[in-house]
Amino acid sequence: MAEALGKHLAGDVFESYSAGTEVKPQINQDAVRIMKERYGIDMEQTQYSKLISDIPVPDVAISMGCDVGCPFIGREFDDNWGLQDPTGKSDEEFVAVIKEIEARILALKEKLAK
């Protein structure tokens, strides 16, 4: 969700990548559905599950939190947004996490655009 929102809301200021420590067979289908409903973004067309080694070394690194430890990715993390993973939870909880990601991306965009 963060990669899709970063590209959608701040692609004119920075590139967004999302990656993890393991590859999943598909993107969370609740996230796909809700992002399509709210933003018209089809994450299945623009994103895929990838490893940290599959993305460029970042200039800015943000951890979503999601109750997992983050490995070293080639630089220290600039921030940890401390979000809860909404997997298996209600649409309302997904939307709350999406809104938090959106607000933080817009704040990061404003900061980096200066």
Side-chain angles (χ1 to χ4, degrees), residues 42-63:
D42 187 348
M43 290 176 23
E44 290 184 307
Q45 297 298 315
T46 60
Q47 292 177 243
Y48 59 93
S49 182
K50 55 196 160 299
L51 298 173
I52 292 167
S53 60
D54 296 330
I55 65 170
V57 174
D59 295 321
V60 175
I62 307 292
S63 168

Side-chain angles (χ1 to χ4, degrees), residues 3-113:
E3 177 180 344
L5 285 173
K7 289 178 178 180
H8 181 71
L9 299 170
D12 59 328
V13 175
F14 55 81
E15 293 181 36
S16 298
Y17 299 95
S18 181
T21 56
E22 61 184 63
V23 176
K24 305 278 182 169
Q26 68 180 32
I27 298 171
N28 181 298
Q29 293 300 290
D30 289 323
V32 169
R33 177 178 50 78
I34 294 169
M35 290 292 289
K36 192 179 283 186
E37 290 170 0
R38 291 186 65 84
Y39 300 95
I41 298 170
D42 187 348
M43 290 176 23
E44 290 184 307
Q45 297 298 315
T46 60
Q47 292 177 243
Y48 59 93
S49 182
K50 55 196 160 299
L51 298 173
I52 292 167
S53 60
D54 296 330
I55 65 170
V57 174
D59 295 321
V60 175
I62 307 292
S63 168
M64 295 293 106
C66 299
D67 301 320
V68 298
C70 293
F72 184 69
I73 60 170
R75 68 164 288 124
E76 297 296 323
F77 282 92
D78 296 284
D79 200 358
N80 180 335
W81 290 354
L83 303 174
Q84 295 296 311
D85 184 352
T87 299
K89 297 180 180 171
S90 70
D91 283 5
E92 291 76 21
E93 291 183 74
F94 260 93
V95 169
V97 171
I98 289 169
K99 285 182 179 180
E100 182 66 23
I101 292 170
E102 179 178 346
R104 289 176 179 259
I105 285 172
L106 291 173
L108 183 61
K109 176 182 180 178
E110 184 176 321
K111 177 181 175 183
L112 296 176

